[in-house]
Amino acid sequence: MKLASLLFTGLALIFAALVQFALTKHAVAQYVSPDPQALAHGQELYARECSACHGAEGEGDGPGAKYLSQRPRNLTLGVFKIRSTPTGEFPTAQDLFDSITHGLAGSNGAQMPSFASLSEADRWALVEVVRTFAWMDKEGAPVTVPPRPETVNLELGRQVYERLQCAACHGDEGDGDGASSLTLKDDDRRRIFAASLVSGSYKGGDAPEEVWTRFYTGLDGSPMPSYAGRASHEELWALTEYLLTLRAEAGASQEEKQ
Ligand code: HEC
Ligand code: HEC
């Protein structure tokens, strides 16, 4: 009898822990379905501003697609590069809004223009269109960026860059010319080059927290992996500072040359 009740309590505890785990793992904000009027307005805007590249049905096959070095995203696959959420998860609505606002322009040639000139309401209406294409009924839960430490340890940053073998793709100096960069393909089986970490813009923005989030969550659909769990928060911050410094130094020497 005693054994049975112990066993029962044990099982109940394990069950509770599993439920807790499942809830935290998949803690996602449920979306409210789009306001039909906003969606209809967004669809008009989409036809005018986006379909030439992304295609009428969002499949990344608009008439302009063939002129671009990287394929406009097939929005129906629901895979996004710029996310504040863990790898494999949907982005947040804010992530999509930011991508539409800033565009995606990187040193490796993808060209999605900025739509900052559209009103905020227009950009939110476009977010609704994108999430409808992607069957995105919920947002991913964003990761928490730990606070930026006050002390900068560049030597640690350089060591982390070596230990995690960023150079294999991005090169020793971060120019994007690592040995593997010549053979990389994206999920569409298209050639893709590692980004230069020292020149050109970052697709996800170059504020320190944005750069941190890019390593931590990865760029889904591209060979750039997520480094969550591969280094401590302190190490990832040191790595961020190291890259920001490389970038600032490269920028300064560019200016000297001119
Ligand atoms: C000139 C072509 C072009 C136009 C116009 C364009 N895009 Fe894009 N878009 C791209 C390309 C190319 C990519 C892929 C960039 C990459 O993979 O780095 C992309 C990627 C995206 C992504 C994926 C972002 C991510 O995190 O992966 C979204 C969302 C998106 N576009 C939405 C839109 C919307 C909405 C519009 C209209 C307001 C639009 N795009 C207009 C070319 C375009
Ligand atoms: C297997 C090859 C590979 C490895 C290893 C790799 N990257 Fe990348 N990385 C890429 C590719 C490819 C891109 C370009 C993705 C794109 O534009 O879609 C990229 C893009 C980036 C970007 C640009 C993000 C943006 O917003 O545009 C940063 C920053 C970056 N990587 C940092 C790192 C760091 C730091 C490491 C090591 C911890 C690393 N990468 C390891 C392939 C790699």
Side-chain angles (χ1 to χ4, degrees):
M1 189 64 196
K2 212 164 169 208
L3 189 69
S5 82
L6 260 182
L7 202 65
F8 179 75
T9 323
L11 283 175
L13 279 176
I14 292 172
F15 181 68
L18 281 177
V19 169
Q20 181 69 28
F21 175 74
L23 284 178
T24 38
K25 191 103 209 271
H26 298 288
V28 283
Q30 287 296 325
Y31 243 113
V32 201
S33 27
D35 163 23
Q37 251 181 331
L39 184 60
H41 176 55
Q43 280 160 342
E44 262 171 48
L45 286 167
Y46 179 87
R48 194 179 78 208
E49 305 283 352
C50 324
S51 64
C53 290
H54 288 282
E57 305 300 328
E59 291 176 350
D61 57 355
K66 58 176 174 295
Y67 302 108
L68 300 170
S69 58
Q70 257 170 276
R71 182 178 169 165
R73 189 75 63 260
N74 177 346
L75 300 169
T76 66
L77 298 179
V79 176
F80 296 96
K81 287 183 179 172
I82 307 304
R83 300 171 339 281
S84 58
T85 63
T87 179
E89 298 208 2
F90 280 134
T92 63
Q94 184 71 48
D95 291 334
L96 292 175
F97 181 85
D98 293 345
S99 292
I100 294 170
T101 303
H102 305 302
L104 275 83
S107 58
N108 60 0
Q111 292 133 350
M112 149 110 178
S114 149
F115 288 92
S117 58
L118 298 179
S119 75
E120 274 197 30
D122 283 356
R123 280 175 272 148
W124 281 114
L126 285 161
V127 169
E128 292 307 311
V129 178
V130 171
R131 93 172 171 85
T132 309
F133 279 138
W135 295 91
M136 193 173 137
D137 57 351
K138 51 190 181 304
E139 307 184 71
V143 301
T144 312
V145 185
R148 187 179 181 182
E150 273 165 28
T151 48
V152 175
N153 188 342
L154 288 181
E155 181 50 27
L156 177 64
R158 195 188 56 76
Q159 287 166 9
V160 179
Y161 188 81
E162 276 172 23
R163 178 165 63 80
L164 297 179
Q165 296 176 350
C166 311
C169 294
H170 291 286
D172 290 335
E173 311 298 324
D175 291 321
D177 59 355
S180 306
S181 190
L182 297 171
T183 56
L184 297 175
K185 296 224 167 110
D186 67 12
D187 282 6
D188 275 334
R189 313 291 311 148
R190 294 203 179 191
R191 284 286 292 113
I192 184 171
F193 294 91
S196 165
L197 301 178
V198 296
S199 64
S201 55
Y202 282 167
K203 294 178 182 174
D206 47 18
E209 284 73 14
E210 291 174 319
V211 177
W212 192 98
T213 306
R214 293 292 86 70
F215 320 144
Y216 195 74
T217 70
L219 275 76
D220 287 357
S222 92
M224 170 68 199
S226 151
Y227 285 91
R230 301 271 310 273
S232 69
H233 286 344
E234 187 202 357
E235 289 171 326
L236 287 183
W237 261 119
L239 178 61
T240 308
E241 301 289 357
Y242 174 67
L243 293 194
L244 294 174
T245 309
L246 275 186
R247 211 169 159 75
E249 282 169 0
S253 68
Q254 275 294 323
E255 264 165 39
E256 267 166 35
K257 274 189 214 150
Q258 280 164 7

